[in-house]
């Protein structure tokens, strides 16, 4: 993974880089930083890249080939293009792009890659600048155009400004890739993006992509569909939009209970579906936990440092990832389970009552029930996380599972939000973005403690790879709004909701999470958004994935719950969905009556 930056200027004036942006980029790529400048007759491109070394030889970026092409690559190849264990994927992409002489050939290379990416590529022949994000937008890329300086900036991460500077940065839509004809731009003095959208060829799909892009084009720039009508073929199969013709097709389980998970598994068809899901998800996890930085190690010695960590709540999404990671990570290596909790605020009345009680009775309480509830960090995700840890220990007692308790006070939250997190969440700005951005940032930092022989020991996770469960709810109807939509609009409404969820995941979640996790010099990986996993889930009719006639904790993400049972997991298989902002209790910390969609004033710095 890397922090990439490109500044295209159409005037000879000097441009001073934002120091805050530069610091953010360096934290994303702590292993190596380098600049490179390309000058044309009437333009100048400054490329700046900051590398987080993940596999193969440490490769400096930007990469310039023998023909003068320049690549900045922020991504991982998990399939589609062959990458040998000793090879670096940046070098592989650079070599493949250097053989391309036409737009269709460049699109062919990009569309073949399986895995997350954001890139900027200067094509010397013809003076073109290409850039974009993968189909799901799993890597952040932002853009803005400064009309005063006549300069376009592309960057992995920006910095929140103040006043009139607030609205200039936007996320590059993950709706396609873009090409700028630098000579034509220099002649006209204005930036025009040629758009190459992701599509399966349908005109409606192309129109929808172009509409999404036009809404986000920076002020002072313009975008047009490429004249050849070329598209990038989407890397996943279309969503199955079949609607049942009768209730029998959906096997109405209105009166079912938890034990019916086992009964459902007894059905051969259902059992085959579950095993296929486990197969594709296990392979997705394998790709992500084995493509790791090379390091020498003596297998005979215990390895104290984990290579892989998980954002871990003990809920079904993270439990399944942990169980599958356990299959593919050597038994002698620990796995870090990152569990974040925000300090519970004691209600005023309760404080007053406690103070009165102290005056009348100075003798401290020592009963077991009181000691169990005494910690202000006993939030719901901490409780389910510890229960999940016990299940994983039962599943593999030989594995060292580092359950990292990450406790955050209001003072530290406010300090780090102001110093760092507000810039990383930006340009997103809602209460929900604040809550999740802060929770993920502290979790990914991995600084807390673990319990050893009944004692707390300070601990900071060293893992560079962090697995996250995002994508499961969006595909398997895990949110409460899916139940509401199903109740009001039936299967047709539910299918529309699921299609929308996956379509907007880049702008709602993934860019933000990539910026927040990357700030620690760590890389987010998303097994539920592996192209093969998404294609398999898209192939199934919606009622095979979820049965919202069943109660909470069973019906939503039903197929995943059956997979959990098949993997030998216990109570975690039937835990109801709890959003991170509520499970970690960050939503309660501010003690404000806010809506998730409200603009968050706490994110403003000026």
């Amino acid at each position: 993974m890397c922090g990439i930056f490109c500044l295209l200027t159409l005037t000879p004036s000097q441009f001073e880089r934002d120091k805050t942006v530069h610091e953010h980029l360096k934290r994303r790529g702590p292993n190596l930083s380098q600049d490179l400048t390309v000058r044309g007759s009437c333009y100048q491109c400054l490329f700046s890249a900051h590398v987080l070394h993940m596999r193969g030889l440490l490769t400096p970026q930007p990469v310039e080939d023998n023909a003068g092409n320049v690549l900045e690559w922020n991504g991982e190849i998990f399939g589609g293009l062959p990458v040998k264990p000793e090879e670096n994927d940046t070098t592989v992409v650079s070599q493949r792009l250097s053989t391309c002489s036409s737009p269709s050939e460049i699109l062919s290379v990009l569309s073949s890659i399986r895995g997350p990416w954001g890139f900027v590529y200067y094509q010397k022949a013809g003076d073109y600048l290409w850039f974009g994000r993968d189909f799901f937008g799993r890597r952040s890329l932002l853009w803005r155009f400064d009309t005063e300086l006549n300069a376009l900036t592309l960057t992995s991460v920006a910095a929140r400004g103040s006043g009139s500077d607030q609205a200039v940065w936007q996320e590059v839509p993950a709706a396609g890739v873009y090409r700028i004809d630098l000579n034509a731009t220099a002649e006209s003095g204005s930036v025009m993006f040629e758009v190459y959208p992701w599509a399966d060829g349908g005109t409606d799909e192309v129109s929808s992509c172009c509409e999404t892009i036009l809404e986000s084009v920076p002020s002072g720039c313009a975008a047009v569909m490429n004249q050849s009508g070329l598209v990038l073929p989407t890397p996943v199969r279309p969503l199955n939009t079949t609607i049942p013709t009768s209730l029998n097709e959906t096997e109405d389980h209105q009166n079912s209970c938890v034990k019916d998970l086992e009964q459902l598994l007894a059905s051969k068809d259902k059992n085959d579906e579950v095993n296929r899901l486990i197969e594709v998800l296990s392979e997705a996890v394998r790709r992500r936990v084995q493509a790791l930085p090379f390091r020498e190690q003596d297998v005979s010695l215990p390895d104290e440092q984990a290579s892989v960590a998980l954002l871990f709540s003990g809920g079904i999404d993270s439990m399944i990832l942990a169980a599958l990671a356990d299959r593919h990570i050597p038994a002698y290596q620990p796995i870090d389970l990152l569990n974040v909790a925000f300090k519970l605020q004691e209600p005023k009345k309760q404080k007053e009552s406690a103070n009165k009680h102290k005056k009348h009775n100075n003798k401290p309480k020592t009963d077991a029930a009181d000691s169990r509830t005494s910690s202000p960090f006993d939030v719901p995700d901490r409780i389910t996380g510890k229960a999940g840890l016990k299940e994983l220990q039962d599943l593999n007692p030989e594995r060292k599972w580092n359950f990292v308790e990450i406790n955050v006070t209001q003072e530290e939250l406010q300090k780090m939000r102001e110093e760092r997190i507000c810039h990383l969440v930006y340009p997103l700005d809602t209460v929900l973005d604040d809550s999740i951005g802060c929770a993920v940032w502290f979790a990914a930092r991995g600084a807390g403690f673990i319990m050893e022989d009944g004692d707390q020991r300070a601990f900071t996770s060293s893992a560079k790879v962090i697995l996250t469960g995002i994508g499961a709810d969006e595909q398997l109807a895990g949110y409460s709004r899916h139940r509401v939509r199903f109740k009001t609009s039936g299967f047709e409404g539910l299918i529309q909701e699921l299609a929308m969820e996956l379509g907007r995941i880049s702008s709602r979640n993934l860019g933000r999470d990539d910026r927040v996790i990357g700030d620690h010099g760590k890389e987010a990986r998303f097994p539920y958004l592996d192209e093969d996993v998404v294609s398999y889930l898209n192939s199934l009719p919606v009622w095979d994935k979820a049965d919202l006639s069943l109660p909470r904790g069973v019906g939503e993400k039903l197929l995943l719950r059956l997979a959990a049972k098949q993997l030998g997991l216990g109570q975690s298989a039937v835990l109801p969905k709890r959003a991170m902002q509520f499970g970690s209790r960050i939503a309660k910390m501010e003690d404000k009556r806010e809506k998730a969609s409200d603009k968050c004033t706490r994110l403003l710095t000026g």
Side-chain angles (χ1 to χ4, degrees):
M1 189 195 78
C2 300
I4 60 177
F5 176 95
C6 174
L7 172 65
L8 165 64
T9 54
L10 304 179
T11 56
S13 60
Q14 290 294 313
F15 186 91
E16 194 170 320
R17 271 185 287 179
D18 188 309
K19 289 179 182 176
T20 307
V21 173
H22 190 66
E23 287 303 312
H24 290 321
L25 289 165
K26 279 171 58 178
R27 278 196 292 271
R28 287 179 65 88
N31 298 122
L32 197 149
S33 296
Q34 189 170 278
D35 290 355
L36 186 152
T37 301
V38 171
R39 291 181 175 85
S41 55
C42 299
Y43 68 84
Q44 178 176 291
C45 284
L46 167 65
F47 299 94
S48 181
H50 309 266
V51 178
L52 174 67
H53 182 215
M54 296 305 292
R55 60 178 173 181
L57 296 171
L58 176 58
T59 303
Q61 288 201 50
V63 174
E64 185 174 20
D65 66 18
N66 293 332
N69 303 307
V70 177
L71 173 66
E72 294 185 313
W73 177 256
N74 175 26
E76 295 290 345
I77 300 174
F78 295 129
L81 289 182
V83 182
K84 296 173 185 173
E86 70 277 7
E87 284 185 315
N88 181 278
D89 56 357
T90 306
T91 303
V92 171
V93 175
S94 175
Q95 289 169 347
R96 291 298 293 268
L97 290 177
S98 69
T99 67
C100 298
S101 57
S102 68
S104 60
E105 290 175 339
I106 285 181
L107 299 182
S108 177
V109 171
L110 293 172
S111 62
S112 70
I113 295 169
R114 299 294 175 262
W117 48 265
F119 83 109
V120 179
Y121 182 61
Y122 168 68
Q123 188 182 15
K124 175 87 179 214
D127 275 342
Y128 294 113
L129 189 70
W130 293 81
F131 60 95
R133 301 162 71 190
D134 72 80
F135 179 72
F136 294 115
R138 289 164 287 189
R139 291 290 173 259
S140 170
L141 192 64
L142 309 178
W143 60 9
R144 79 167 178 183
F145 185 73
D146 189 314
T147 51
E148 288 184 18
L149 296 171
N150 219 11
L152 173 73
T153 307
L154 300 163
T155 180
S156 298
V157 62
R160 177 175 287 278
S162 59
S164 60
D165 196 36
Q166 288 288 67
V168 293
W169 286 106
Q170 294 185 78
E171 291 187 324
V172 174
V177 297
Y178 309 83
R179 187 179 79 160
I180 300 172
D181 182 329
L182 294 172
N183 287 327
T185 291
E187 285 174 20
S188 66
S190 62
V191 176
M192 174 77 76
F193 307 119
E194 273 188 295
V195 181
Y196 297 82
W198 292 103
D200 286 323
T203 54
D204 289 346
E205 200 174 0
V206 171
S207 298
S208 175
C209 281
C210 289
E211 280 177 28
T212 302
I213 291 163
L214 289 171
E215 288 171 6
S216 302
V217 169
S219 177
C221 302
V224 293
M225 177 70 181
N226 72 88
Q227 290 184 346
S228 304
L230 294 171
V231 300
L232 292 124
T234 55
V236 297
R237 64 180 297 166
L239 181 66
N240 185 329
T241 57
T242 306
I243 294 172
T245 54
S246 69
L247 277 179
N248 291 336
E249 277 186 52
T250 69
E251 300 179 15
D252 188 18
H253 302 293
Q254 189 69 44
N255 299 313
S256 295
C257 57
V258 173
K259 65 183 180 184
D260 287 333
L261 289 178
E262 283 89 347
Q263 291 172 6
L264 278 170
L265 282 173
S267 154
K268 184 180 184 307
D269 287 346
K270 186 59 70 178
N271 201 50
D272 288 347
E273 285 177 359
V274 170
N275 287 334
R276 177 60 182 151
L277 175 60
I278 291 173
E279 183 185 322
V280 294
L281 194 51
S282 178
E283 175 60 17
V285 171
R286 185 196 67 78
R287 291 170 183 156
R288 285 156 178 79
V289 302
Q290 292 185 356
L292 298 171
F294 173 78
R295 65 183 190 190
E296 294 180 11
Q297 53 192 1
D298 184 349
V299 177
S300 65
L301 296 173
D303 189 349
E304 289 298 316
Q305 294 190 325
S307 295
V308 175
L310 292 94
L311 297 185
F312 188 76
S313 66
I316 185 170
D317 306 342
S318 58
M319 285 294 291
I320 283 182
L321 293 185
L324 294 176
D326 181 52
R327 290 182 170 187
H328 302 297
I329 295 173
Y332 59 83
Q333 283 188 13
I335 295 175
D336 292 345
L337 308 174
L338 309 177
N339 184 272
V340 66
F342 291 82
K343 189 175 182 180
L344 292 167
Q345 303 301 299
E346 193 176 359
K348 197 175 276 186
K349 286 182 180 177
Q350 194 175 318
K351 281 184 184 175
E352 290 170 359
S353 173
N355 289 337
K356 284 180 185 176
H357 184 75
K358 277 182 185 176
K359 288 179 183 176
H360 293 295
N361 184 5
N362 288 324
K363 189 177 178 182
K365 278 193 173 184
T366 57
D367 64 81
D370 206 51
S371 65
R372 278 200 305 272
T373 59
S374 61
S375 172
F377 295 103
D378 282 342
V379 301
D381 278 0
R382 179 63 46 82
I383 294 164
T384 55
K386 287 179 177 178
L389 170 65
K390 179 69 169 61
E391 284 189 36
L392 293 172
Q393 289 170 334
D394 291 343
L395 204 63
N396 186 355
E398 295 179 12
R399 167 84 62 194
K400 186 166 189 269
W401 301 94
N402 290 325
F403 183 75
V404 189
E405 299 186 45
I406 299 160
N407 295 336
V408 186
T409 63
Q410 189 165 30
E411 293 73 25
E412 188 177 19
L413 169 63
Q414 290 170 345
K415 178 177 184 290
M416 298 317 299
R417 176 197 282 127
E418 185 175 338
E419 288 181 11
R420 302 266 281 277
I421 302 169
C422 71
H423 298 296
L424 303 167
V425 170
Y426 181 69
L428 304 188
D429 59 2
T430 68
V431 169
L432 183 65
D433 292 315
D434 173 54
S435 295
I436 296 180
C438 290
V440 170
W441 188 88
F442 279 104
R445 187 174 66 168
F449 66 86
I450 57 175
M451 296 296 292
E452 286 186 344
D453 302 321
D455 293 324
Q456 289 185 3
R457 175 169 76 85
F459 182 90
T460 300
S461 173
S462 61
K464 280 187 177 182
V465 168
I466 297 181
L467 300 183
T468 163
I470 193 166
D473 290 305
E474 287 80 0
Q475 297 179 80
L476 291 149
Y479 294 121
S480 58
R481 60 178 173 267
H482 294 135
R483 282 187 178 275
V484 172
R485 189 69 192 272
F486 179 66
K487 192 173 283 188
T488 57
S489 309
F491 284 105
E492 190 171 355
L494 179 59
I495 290 165
Q496 290 170 357
E497 193 77 15
L498 293 176
M500 181 182 69
E501 293 280 6
L502 212 52
R504 69 183 184 184
I505 198 169
S506 63
S507 58
R508 245 175 114 89
N509 306 86
L510 294 174
R512 176 198 65 212
D513 289 359
D514 175 63
R515 293 190 293 275
V516 166
I517 293 172
D519 191 56
H520 301 292
K522 301 180 181 185
E523 180 173 283
R525 294 185 176 176
F526 311 98
Y528 290 108
L529 292 172
D530 179 89
E531 287 83 354
D532 290 342
V533 172
V534 176
S535 284
Y536 175 63
L537 290 175
N538 276 359
S539 74
L540 299 173
V542 67
W543 61 86
D544 279 350
K545 297 181 278 191
D547 182 351
L548 300 184
S549 68
L550 292 174
R552 281 188 73 233
V554 183
E556 75 278 12
K557 298 189 284 193
L558 177 62
L559 192 64
L560 204 59
R561 297 184 189 284
L562 292 168
K565 281 290 181 189
Q566 193 85 309
L567 289 168
L569 297 176
Q571 192 59 31
S572 60
V574 289
L575 280 178
K577 164 71 181 176
R578 188 191 296 116
M580 189 179 198
Q581 65 270 29
F582 301 120
S584 67
R585 282 298 188 259
I586 186 173
K588 294 282 186 184
M589 181 163 273
E590 301 298 339
D591 195 27
K592 292 178 183 288
R593 295 187 179 185
E594 302 170 308
K595 291 181 181 177
S597 58
D598 288 347
K599 299 278 186 194
C600 183
T601 56
R602 294 182 295 280
L603 289 171
L604 304 177
T605 59

